[in-house]
Amino acid sequence: MKVSERLTSLPTGIFSEIDQIVQAQAAKGMDIINLSVGSPDRGPAPHIVNALSDAVCDGAKYGYALSEGMPGFKKAVTEWYYNRFNVSLDPEKEVLSLMGSQDGLSHIFLAFLNPGDLALIPDPGYPVYSAGVLIAGGEIFYMPLLKENRFLPDFEAIPQDVARKAKIMVLNYPSNPVTAVADMDFFSRAVSFAKKYDIIICHDVAYSELSFDGYKPPSFLETRGGKEVGVEFHSLSKTYNMAGCRIAFITGNSKVIDALRRLKSNIDYGIFQPVQIAGIAALTGSQDYVRETAQIYQMRRDAMLDNLANGGWKIPKPKATMFVWAPLPSQYKDSKAFTIELLEKTGVVVTPGIAFGRLGEGYVRIALVCEKERLDEAAKRIISAGICG
Ligand SMILES: Cc1ncc(COP(=O)(O)O)c(C=O)c1O
């Protein structure tokens, strides 16, 4: 049986390789502290769980859902958006529900790219962006995210012939894995670039609510002209700890949203209605739990990075996300080799930066997805293994 070239073009998982080593170490009895996957360890707020459980008990909620999202969910999105970003949206034309932002971020390229068309993708970046382009048969120009540019792409450095050919660009701030943030000035430059070259901007804003020290990430759609050129992908996975209870949404340019809606109406039947009802409760209910969740990540960030700094491994503190992007201790160069050594010596699992692109080399991503006590234990093991530099 021969699989498609499309499938073989997708990277084979460094993640599954690490996973196999994790399982082998666990089978030997090693106590594993898994800080590799960005899956929230807290559950949703009680009012969200209650809304879900009530709806699940209602037999009338088991029919096919509307592919584009229940009107109540889209209305809740517009209210949330206005309250949070002061951006007005038309719930009919400028909002579409998604089965997780991964759904939208992978399918958007099928809606816009013909084979050979070009997409501008950040390196390092969340893997679904490049996978989505490859599935659509598109080509990728990687925009380097460099520390000296605060991990923002340099639009001036994109060759003109590339910019002219590009149809779509992905941005992601606060970003995974590099944990960088962007300001309105950067977004304005992105809008000018997109207008000049007729490029659609897809801004992935999955971490907009997990921010620290009083910082509030902006929406790309707050930018003048933002809605003319782009869309934004939000997710309830991290904001409301609903990662397995799949729901997200896209907002912004109505033509882009209409294209994705048409594509998706050929692929799926929408999100299980009780999940949409839970999503409405999340977006319209008290946001106290969201603030509490962000504070917990901030407290974990401080504990982990202060401990590691005391042990000699200095890692910058991020302003947002649930991750830290850690430059390897000076004696290491290879992020995969470092990850494996760390795992075998300490049982602590992180993600090698190379898994996010060529320019992720030299870093590892640490997800703050354990209680503080476990993170303290992880730091203690890392320091006593003598791998902090
Ligand atoms: C940057 C980013 N975008 C999108 C996603 C996908 O989230 P979901 O499909 O759960 O909405 C993730 C998940 O980790 C992510 O880190």
Side-chain angles (χ1 to χ4, degrees):
M1 202 182 285
K2 208 158 174 234
V3 301
S4 67
E5 285 168 18
R6 185 177 305 116
L7 189 60
T8 41
S9 75
L10 298 177
T12 47
I14 198 165
F15 294 99
S16 56
E17 203 181 323
I18 305 276
D19 215 37
Q20 279 174 10
I21 308 174
V22 172
Q23 283 175 25
Q25 294 300 109
K28 284 189 215 158
M30 186 170 234
D31 173 34
I32 301 291
I33 303 180
N34 200 332
L35 308 180
S36 68
V37 183
S39 187
D41 57 312
R42 292 186 96 203
H47 68 274
I48 302 174
V49 177
N50 289 340
L52 179 63
S53 75
D54 287 351
V56 159
C57 293
D58 179 356
K61 301 282 187 292
Y62 282 73
Y64 288 122
L66 276 179
S67 160
E68 60 190 53
M70 291 164 66
F73 179 74
K74 294 195 291 180
K75 183 165 168 281
V77 169
T78 56
E79 282 170 16
W80 183 86
Y81 233 86
Y82 188 75
N83 292 335
R84 171 65 177 86
F85 299 117
N86 206 18
V87 169
S88 301
L89 295 165
D90 176 345
E92 289 308 313
K93 298 194 173 123
E94 296 177 335
V95 180
L96 178 69
S97 67
L98 299 170
M99 296 177 168
S101 53
Q102 187 106 347
D103 161 17
L105 287 162
S106 57
H107 286 134
I108 192 80
F109 304 104
L110 278 178
F112 285 98
L113 297 186
N114 291 316
D117 281 350
L118 191 64
L120 305 175
I121 302 294
D123 175 11
Y126 184 61
V128 76
Y129 312 145
S130 40
V133 178
L134 296 175
I135 291 169
E139 284 174 18
I140 299 171
F141 177 86
Y142 284 108
M143 300 183 293
L145 303 187
L146 305 173
K147 188 175 161 221
E148 54 269 32
N149 295 338
R150 293 181 291 128
F151 296 106
L152 300 169
D154 178 359
F155 299 127
E156 304 290 309
I158 299 174
Q160 280 208 4
D161 57 325
V162 169
R164 276 196 214 102
K165 202 176 159 209
K167 288 186 85 175
I168 201 159
M169 173 199 280
V170 177
L171 298 174
N172 166 222
Y173 295 99
S175 62
N176 173 20
V178 297
T179 71
V181 296
D183 57 20
M184 295 301 286
D185 176 56
F186 170 76
F187 286 150
S188 294
R189 283 186 285 119
V191 169
S192 305
F193 182 79
K195 279 191 172 170
K196 181 168 175 194
Y197 292 106
D198 195 15
I199 294 171
I200 298 165
I201 293 196
C202 295
H203 184 224
D204 175 359
V205 70
Y207 296 97
S208 67
E209 306 313 298
L210 302 185
S211 62
F212 315 132
D213 310 317
Y215 169 69
K216 278 263 177 208
S219 157
F220 175 74
L221 301 182
E222 287 174 59
T223 325
R224 187 187 291 269
K227 226 194 252 183
E228 288 164 41
V229 296
V231 286
E232 200 152 64
F233 294 82
H234 271 270
S235 172
L236 279 73
S237 296
K238 319 289 167 133
T239 304
Y240 298 104
N241 299 321
M242 292 171 71
C245 184
R246 310 284 298 137
I247 185 158
F249 54 91
I250 175 177
T251 54
N253 186 281
S254 56
K255 289 192 183 125
V256 177
I257 290 184
D258 187 50
L260 187 60
R261 183 198 342 258
R262 275 164 48 205
L263 181 84
K264 277 175 59 61
S265 70
N266 285 281
I267 295 177
D268 64 55
Y269 273 117
I271 302 154
F272 185 39
Q273 292 174 53
V275 173
Q276 298 199 50
I277 289 165
I280 295 170
L283 293 165
T284 57
S286 162
Q287 303 295 300
D288 289 351
Y289 199 81
V290 179
R291 282 184 279 275
E292 197 182 294
T293 302
Q295 277 161 12
I296 289 173
Y297 286 123
Q298 180 179 324
M299 181 265 293
R300 292 175 180 178
R301 172 201 70 171
D302 290 341
M304 185 70 176
L305 297 192
D306 291 348
N307 280 334
L308 290 176
N310 288 337
W313 190 5
K314 296 206 168 24
I315 301 166
K317 283 191 179 175
K319 279 192 183 161
T321 78
M322 60 203 289
F323 307 108
V324 296
W325 184 236
L328 296 180
S330 53
Q331 72 273 35
Y332 294 93
K333 295 281 169 278
D334 181 320
S335 61
K336 190 171 144 200
F338 173 83
T339 300
I340 294 170
E341 184 178 329
L342 182 74
L343 168 55
E344 288 175 346
K345 284 188 174 160
T346 67
V348 177
V349 194
V350 298
T351 306
I354 191 74
F356 300 100
R358 198 174 59 82
L359 293 176
E361 189 49 286
Y363 290 83
V364 286
R365 191 195 70 178
I366 305 174
L368 300 166
V369 290
C370 286
E371 298 286 353
K372 179 179 173 298
E373 294 65 35
R374 288 295 274 169
L375 292 175
D376 288 348
E377 170 65 19
K380 198 167 110 199
R381 289 190 207 168
I382 293 171
I383 294 165
S384 33
I387 43 186
C388 273

